[in-house]
Coordinates of all heavy atoms in Angstrom, one line a residue:
M1 N 9.0 -2.8 10.3 CA 8.9 -4.1 10.9 C 10.1 -4.3 11.8 O 11.2 -4.2 11.4 CB 8.9 -5.1 9.7 CG 8.4 -6.5 10.1 SD 7.9 -7.5 8.7 CE 9.5 -7.9 8.1
T2 N 9.8 -4.7 13.0 CA 10.8 -4.9 14.0 C 11.1 -6.4 14.4 O 10.4 -6.9 15.2 CB 10.5 -4.1 15.3 OG1 9.2 -4.6 15.8 CG2 10.4 -2.6 15.1
G3 N 12.0 -7.0 13.6 CA 12.3 -8.4 13.9 C 11.3 -9.4 13.5 O 11.5 -10.6 13.6
E4 N 10.2 -9.0 12.9 CA 9.1 -9.9 12.5 C 9.5 -10.5 11.1 O 9.8 -9.7 10.2 CB 7.8 -9.2 12.4 CG 6.6 -10.0 12.0 CD 5.4 -9.3 11.8 OE1 5.3 -8.1 12.3 OE2 4.4 -9.8 11.2
I5 N 9.5 -11.8 11.0 CA 9.8 -12.4 9.7 C 8.4 -13.0 9.2 O 7.8 -13.8 9.9 CB 10.8 -13.5 9.8 CG1 12.2 -12.9 10.3 CG2 11.0 -14.2 8.5 CD1 13.2 -13.9 10.5
K6 N 8.0 -12.6 8.0 CA 6.8 -13.1 7.5 C 7.0 -14.0 6.3 O 8.0 -13.8 5.6 CB 5.9 -11.9 7.1 CG 5.5 -11.0 8.2 CD 4.6 -9.9 7.8 CE 3.4 -10.4 7.1 NZ 2.4 -9.4 6.9
S7 N 6.1 -14.9 6.0 CA 6.3 -15.7 4.8 C 5.2 -15.5 3.8 O 5.2 -16.2 2.8 CB 6.3 -17.2 5.3 OG 5.1 -17.5 5.9
H8 N 4.2 -14.6 4.1 CA 3.1 -14.4 3.2 C 2.8 -12.9 3.1 O 2.7 -12.2 4.1 CB 1.9 -15.1 3.7 CG 0.7 -14.9 2.8 ND1 -0.2 -13.8 3.0 CD2 0.3 -15.5 1.7 CE1 -1.1 -13.9 2.0 NE2 -0.8 -14.9 1.2
Y9 N 2.7 -12.4 1.9 CA 2.3 -11.0 1.6 C 1.2 -11.0 0.6 O 1.2 -11.9 -0.3 CB 3.4 -10.2 1.1 CG 4.5 -9.9 2.2 CD1 5.6 -10.8 2.3 CD2 4.4 -8.9 3.0 CE1 6.5 -10.7 3.2 CE2 5.4 -8.7 4.0 CZ 6.5 -9.6 4.1 OH 7.4 -9.4 5.1
E10 N 0.3 -10.1 0.6 CA -0.7 -10.0 -0.5 C -0.1 -9.6 -1.8 O -0.5 -10.1 -2.8 CB -1.8 -8.9 -0.1 CG -2.7 -9.3 1.1 CD -3.7 -8.3 1.4 OE1 -4.7 -8.3 0.8 OE2 -3.3 -7.4 2.2
V11 N 0.9 -8.7 -1.7 CA 1.6 -8.3 -3.0 C 3.1 -8.2 -2.7 O 3.5 -7.7 -1.6 CB 1.1 -6.9 -3.4 CG1 1.8 -6.3 -4.6 CG2 -0.4 -6.9 -3.6
V12 N 3.9 -8.6 -3.7 CA 5.3 -8.4 -3.6 C 5.7 -7.6 -4.8 O 5.4 -7.9 -6.0 CB 6.1 -9.7 -3.6 CG1 7.6 -9.5 -3.7 CG2 5.8 -10.6 -2.4
V13 N 6.3 -6.4 -4.6 CA 6.8 -5.5 -5.7 C 8.2 -5.8 -5.9 O 9.0 -5.7 -5.0 CB 6.6 -4.0 -5.3 CG1 7.1 -3.1 -6.3 CG2 5.1 -3.8 -5.0
V14 N 8.6 -6.1 -7.1 CA 10.0 -6.4 -7.4 C 10.6 -5.2 -8.1 O 10.2 -4.8 -9.2 CB 10.1 -7.7 -8.4 CG1 11.6 -7.9 -8.7 CG2 9.5 -8.9 -7.7
G15 N 11.6 -4.6 -7.4 CA 12.3 -3.4 -7.9 C 11.9 -2.2 -7.2 O 10.7 -1.9 -7.0
A16 N 12.9 -1.5 -6.6 CA 12.6 -0.3 -5.8 C 13.1 1.0 -6.6 O 13.6 1.9 -6.0 CB 13.3 -0.4 -4.4
G17 N 12.8 1.0 -7.9 CA 13.1 2.1 -8.6 C 11.9 3.1 -8.5 O 11.1 3.0 -7.6
V18 N 11.8 4.0 -9.4 CA 10.7 5.0 -9.3 C 9.4 4.4 -9.3 O 8.5 4.7 -8.4 CB 10.8 6.0 -10.5 CG1 9.6 7.0 -10.5 CG2 12.1 6.8 -10.4
S19 N 9.1 3.4 -10.2 CA 7.8 2.8 -10.2 C 7.5 1.9 -9.0 O 6.4 1.9 -8.4 CB 7.7 2.0 -11.5 OG 7.7 2.7 -12.6
G20 N 8.6 1.2 -8.5 CA 8.4 0.3 -7.4 C 8.1 1.1 -6.1 O 7.3 0.7 -5.3
I21 N 8.8 2.2 -5.9 CA 8.6 3.1 -4.8 C 7.2 3.6 -4.8 O 6.5 3.7 -3.8 CB 9.6 4.2 -4.7 CG1 11.0 3.6 -4.4 CG2 9.3 5.3 -3.7 CD1 12.2 4.6 -4.6
Y22 N 6.7 4.1 -6.0 CA 5.4 4.6 -6.1 C 4.4 3.5 -5.8 O 3.4 3.7 -5.0 CB 5.1 5.2 -7.5 CG 3.7 5.6 -7.7 CD1 3.2 6.8 -7.2 CD2 2.8 4.8 -8.4 CE1 1.9 7.2 -7.4 CE2 1.5 5.2 -8.6 CZ 1.1 6.4 -8.1 OH -0.2 6.8 -8.3
Q23 N 4.6 2.3 -6.3 CA 3.6 1.2 -6.1 C 3.5 0.8 -4.7 O 2.4 0.7 -4.1 CB 4.0 0.0 -7.0 CG 3.0 -1.1 -7.0 CD 1.7 -0.6 -7.6 OE1 1.6 -0.1 -8.6 NE2 0.6 -0.8 -6.8
I24 N 4.7 0.7 -4.0 CA 4.6 0.3 -2.6 C 4.0 1.4 -1.7 O 3.2 1.1 -0.8 CB 6.0 -0.1 -2.1 CG1 5.9 -1.0 -0.8 CG2 6.9 1.1 -1.8 CD1 5.4 -2.4 -1.0
K25 N 4.1 2.6 -2.1 CA 3.5 3.7 -1.4 C 2.0 3.7 -1.5 O 1.2 3.8 -0.6 CB 4.1 5.1 -1.9 CG 3.3 6.3 -1.4 CD 3.5 6.6 0.1 CE 2.9 7.9 0.4 NZ 1.6 7.9 1.0
R26 N 1.5 3.5 -2.8 CA 0.1 3.4 -3.0 C -0.5 2.2 -2.3 O -1.6 2.3 -1.7 CB -0.2 3.2 -4.5 CG 0.1 4.5 -5.3 CD -0.9 5.6 -5.1 NE -2.1 5.1 -5.7 CZ -3.3 5.3 -5.1 NH1 -3.4 6.0 -4.0 NH2 -4.4 4.9 -5.7
L27 N 0.2 1.0 -2.3 CA -0.3 -0.1 -1.6 C -0.4 0.1 -0.1 O -1.4 -0.3 0.5 CB 0.5 -1.4 -1.9 CG 0.5 -1.9 -3.4 CD1 1.6 -2.8 -3.7 CD2 -0.9 -2.5 -3.6
A28 N 0.6 0.7 0.5 CA 0.6 1.0 1.9 C -0.5 2.0 2.2 O -1.2 1.8 3.3 CB 1.9 1.7 2.3
D29 N -0.8 3.0 1.4 CA -1.9 3.9 1.6 C -3.3 3.1 1.6 O -4.2 3.6 2.2 CB -2.0 4.9 0.5 CG -0.8 5.9 0.6 OD1 -0.2 6.0 1.7 OD2 -0.6 6.7 -0.4
L30 N -3.3 2.0 0.9 CA -4.6 1.2 0.8 C -4.6 0.1 1.9 O -5.5 -0.8 1.8 CB -4.7 0.6 -0.6 CG -4.9 1.6 -1.7 CD1 -4.7 0.9 -3.1 CD2 -6.2 2.3 -1.6
D31 N -3.6 0.1 2.8 CA -3.5 -0.9 3.8 C -3.3 -2.3 3.2 O -3.8 -3.3 3.9 CB -4.6 -0.8 4.8 CG -4.6 0.4 5.7 OD1 -3.5 0.9 6.0 OD2 -5.7 0.9 6.0
V32 N -2.7 -2.4 2.1 CA -2.4 -3.7 1.5 C -1.1 -4.3 2.1 O -0.1 -3.5 2.3 CB -2.3 -3.7 0.0 CG1 -1.8 -5.0 -0.6 CG2 -3.6 -3.2 -0.6
D33 N -1.1 -5.5 2.5 CA 0.1 -6.2 3.1 C 1.1 -6.4 2.0 O 1.0 -7.4 1.3 CB -0.3 -7.4 3.8 CG 0.8 -8.1 4.6 OD1 1.8 -7.4 4.9 OD2 0.7 -9.3 4.9
A34 N 2.1 -5.5 1.8 CA 3.0 -5.6 0.7 C 4.4 -5.5 1.1 O 4.8 -5.0 2.2 CB 2.6 -4.5 -0.3
L35 N 5.3 -6.0 0.2 CA 6.7 -6.0 0.4 C 7.4 -5.6 -0.9 O 6.9 -5.9 -2.0 CB 7.2 -7.4 0.8 CG 8.7 -7.7 0.9 CD1 9.3 -7.0 2.1 CD2 9.0 -9.1 0.9
V36 N 8.4 -4.7 -0.8 CA 9.2 -4.4 -2.0 C 10.6 -5.0 -1.8 O 11.2 -5.0 -0.8 CB 9.3 -2.8 -2.1 CG1 10.0 -2.2 -1.0 CG2 9.9 -2.5 -3.5
L37 N 11.1 -5.6 -2.9 CA 12.4 -6.2 -3.0 C 13.2 -5.6 -4.1 O 12.7 -5.3 -5.1 CB 12.2 -7.7 -3.3 CG 11.4 -8.5 -2.3 CD1 11.2 -10.0 -2.9 CD2 12.1 -8.6 -1.0
D38 N 14.5 -5.4 -3.8 CA 15.4 -4.9 -4.8 C 16.8 -5.5 -4.5 O 17.2 -5.8 -3.4 CB 15.5 -3.4 -4.8 CG 16.1 -2.8 -6.0 OD1 17.3 -2.9 -6.2 OD2 15.4 -2.3 -6.8
A39 N 17.6 -5.7 -5.6 CA 18.9 -6.2 -5.4 C 19.9 -5.2 -4.8 O 20.8 -5.6 -4.1 CB 19.5 -6.7 -6.8
A40 N 19.6 -3.9 -5.0 CA 20.4 -2.9 -4.4 C 20.2 -2.8 -2.9 O 19.1 -3.1 -2.4 CB 20.1 -1.5 -5.0
P41 N 21.2 -2.4 -2.1 CA 21.0 -2.3 -0.6 C 20.2 -1.1 -0.2 O 19.9 -1.0 1.0 CB 22.4 -2.3 -0.1 CG 23.2 -1.7 -1.2 CD 22.5 -2.2 -2.5
D42 N 19.8 -0.3 -1.1 CA 19.0 0.9 -0.7 C 18.0 1.2 -1.9 O 18.0 0.6 -2.9 CB 20.0 2.1 -0.6 CG 19.4 3.2 0.3 OD1 18.2 3.1 0.7 OD2 20.1 4.1 0.6
L43 N 17.1 2.1 -1.6 CA 16.1 2.5 -2.6 C 16.7 3.1 -3.8 O 17.8 3.7 -3.8 CB 15.1 3.4 -2.0 CG 14.2 2.9 -0.9 CD1 13.4 4.0 -0.3 CD2 13.4 1.7 -1.3
G44 N 16.0 2.9 -5.0 CA 16.5 3.6 -6.2 C 16.7 2.7 -7.4 O 16.8 3.1 -8.5
G45 N 16.7 1.4 -7.1 CA 16.8 0.4 -8.2 C 17.9 0.7 -9.2 O 19.1 0.9 -8.8
T46 N 17.6 0.8 -10.4 CA 18.6 1.0 -11.5 C 19.4 2.3 -11.2 O 20.6 2.4 -11.4 CB 17.9 1.2 -12.8 OG1 17.2 0.0 -13.1 CG2 18.9 1.5 -13.9
W47 N 18.7 3.3 -10.6 CA 19.4 4.6 -10.3 C 20.4 4.4 -9.2 O 21.4 5.2 -9.1 CB 18.4 5.7 -10.1 CG 17.6 5.8 -11.3 CD1 16.3 5.5 -11.5 CD2 18.0 6.2 -12.6 NE1 15.9 5.7 -12.8 CE2 17.0 6.1 -13.5 CE3 19.3 6.6 -13.2 CZ2 17.0 6.4 -14.9 CZ3 19.4 6.9 -14.5 CH2 18.3 6.8 -15.3
Y48 N 20.2 3.5 -8.3 CA 21.2 3.2 -7.2 C 22.5 2.8 -7.9 O 23.6 3.2 -7.5 CB 20.7 2.2 -6.3 CG 21.8 1.8 -5.2 CD1 21.9 2.6 -4.1 CD2 22.6 0.8 -5.4 CE1 22.9 2.4 -3.1 CE2 23.6 0.5 -4.5 CZ 23.7 1.3 -3.4 OH 24.7 1.0 -2.5
W49 N 22.4 1.8 -8.9 CA 23.6 1.3 -9.5 C 24.2 2.2 -10.5 O 25.4 2.1 -10.8 CB 23.2 0.0 -10.2 CG 22.7 -1.1 -9.3 CD1 21.4 -1.5 -9.2 CD2 23.4 -1.7 -8.3 NE1 21.3 -2.4 -8.2 CE2 22.5 -2.6 -7.6 CE3 24.7 -1.7 -7.9 CZ2 22.9 -3.5 -6.6 CZ3 25.1 -2.6 -6.8 CH2 24.2 -3.4 -6.2
N50 N 23.5 3.2 -11.0 CA 24.0 4.1 -12.0 C 24.1 5.5 -11.5 O 23.7 6.5 -12.2 CB 23.1 4.0 -13.3 CG 23.1 2.7 -13.9 OD1 24.2 2.1 -14.1 ND2 21.9 2.2 -14.2
R51 N 24.7 5.7 -10.3 CA 24.9 7.0 -9.8 C 26.2 7.6 -10.4 O 27.3 7.2 -10.0 CB 25.0 7.0 -8.3 CG 23.7 6.7 -7.6 CD 23.9 6.8 -6.1 NE 24.6 5.7 -5.6 CZ 24.7 5.3 -4.4 NH1 24.1 6.0 -3.5 NH2 25.4 4.3 -4.0
Y52 N 26.1 8.4 -11.4 CA 27.3 9.0 -12.0 C 26.9 10.4 -12.5 O 25.7 10.6 -12.8 CB 27.8 8.2 -13.1 CG 26.8 7.8 -14.2 CD1 26.6 8.6 -15.3 CD2 26.1 6.6 -14.1 CE1 25.7 8.3 -16.2 CE2 25.2 6.3 -15.1 CZ 25.0 7.1 -16.1 OH 24.1 6.8 -17.1
P53 N 27.8 11.3 -12.6 CA 27.5 12.6 -13.1 C 26.8 12.6 -14.5 O 27.3 11.8 -15.4 CB 28.8 13.3 -13.2 CG 29.7 12.6 -12.3 CD 29.2 11.2 -12.3
G54 N 25.7 13.3 -14.6 CA 25.0 13.3 -15.9 C 24.0 12.3 -16.1 O 23.3 12.2 -17.1
A55 N 23.8 11.4 -15.1 CA 22.8 10.4 -15.2 C 21.4 11.0 -15.3 O 21.2 12.0 -14.6 CB 22.8 9.4 -14.0
R56 N 20.6 10.6 -16.2 CA 19.3 11.2 -16.4 C 18.2 10.3 -16.2 O 18.3 9.1 -16.3 CB 19.2 11.7 -17.9 CG 20.3 12.7 -18.3 CD 19.8 14.0 -18.2 NE 20.9 14.9 -18.6 CZ 20.9 16.2 -18.2 NH1 20.0 16.7 -17.5 NH2 21.9 16.9 -18.6
F57 N 17.0 10.8 -15.9 CA 15.8 10.0 -15.7 C 15.3 9.7 -17.1 O 15.2 10.5 -18.0 CB 14.8 10.9 -14.9 CG 13.5 10.2 -14.5 CD1 13.6 9.1 -13.6 CD2 12.3 10.5 -15.1 CE1 12.4 8.5 -13.3 CE2 11.2 9.9 -14.7 CZ 11.2 8.8 -13.8
D58 N 14.8 8.4 -17.3 CA 14.4 8.0 -18.6 C 12.9 8.2 -18.9 O 12.3 7.4 -19.5 CB 14.8 6.5 -18.8 CG 14.0 5.6 -17.9 OD1 13.4 6.1 -16.9 OD2 14.1 4.4 -18.1
S59 N 12.4 9.4 -18.5 CA 11.0 9.7 -18.7 C 11.0 11.2 -19.0 O 11.8 11.9 -18.6 CB 10.2 9.4 -17.5 OG 8.9 9.6 -17.7
E60 N 9.9 11.6 -19.7 CA 9.7 13.0 -20.0 C 9.5 13.7 -18.8 O 8.7 13.4 -18.0 CB 8.6 13.2 -21.0 CG 8.8 12.7 -22.4 CD 7.6 13.0 -23.3 OE1 7.0 14.0 -23.1 OE2 7.4 12.2 -24.2
S61 N 10.3 14.8 -18.5 CA 10.2 15.6 -17.4 C 11.0 16.9 -17.6 O 11.8 17.0 -18.5 CB 10.7 14.9 -16.1 OG 12.1 14.7 -16.2
Y62 N 10.8 17.9 -16.7 CA 11.5 19.1 -16.8 C 12.9 18.9 -16.1 O 12.9 18.3 -15.1 CB 10.8 20.2 -16.1 CG 9.5 20.6 -16.9 CD1 8.3 20.2 -16.4 CD2 9.6 21.3 -18.1 CE1 7.1 20.5 -17.2 CE2 8.5 21.6 -18.8 CZ 7.2 21.3 -18.3 OH 6.1 21.6 -19.0
T63 N 13.9 19.4 -16.7 CA 15.2 19.2 -16.1 C 15.7 20.5 -15.5 O 15.6 21.6 -16.0 CB 16.3 18.8 -17.1 OG1 15.7 17.7 -17.8 CG2 17.5 18.4 -16.5

């Protein structure tokens, strides 16, 4: 978005963590007018604030 300020969206996703990033991507793929908001200045949500050695993802996955 280049300088455009909007006051209405079909969907607002709160939180740009793993789930929020996935959700906004899926909505964009479906051409849904959506916005993602997060308190952090960059993507990553909780993981943006908790960047430290040994930080782990809180879901079952291969490490």
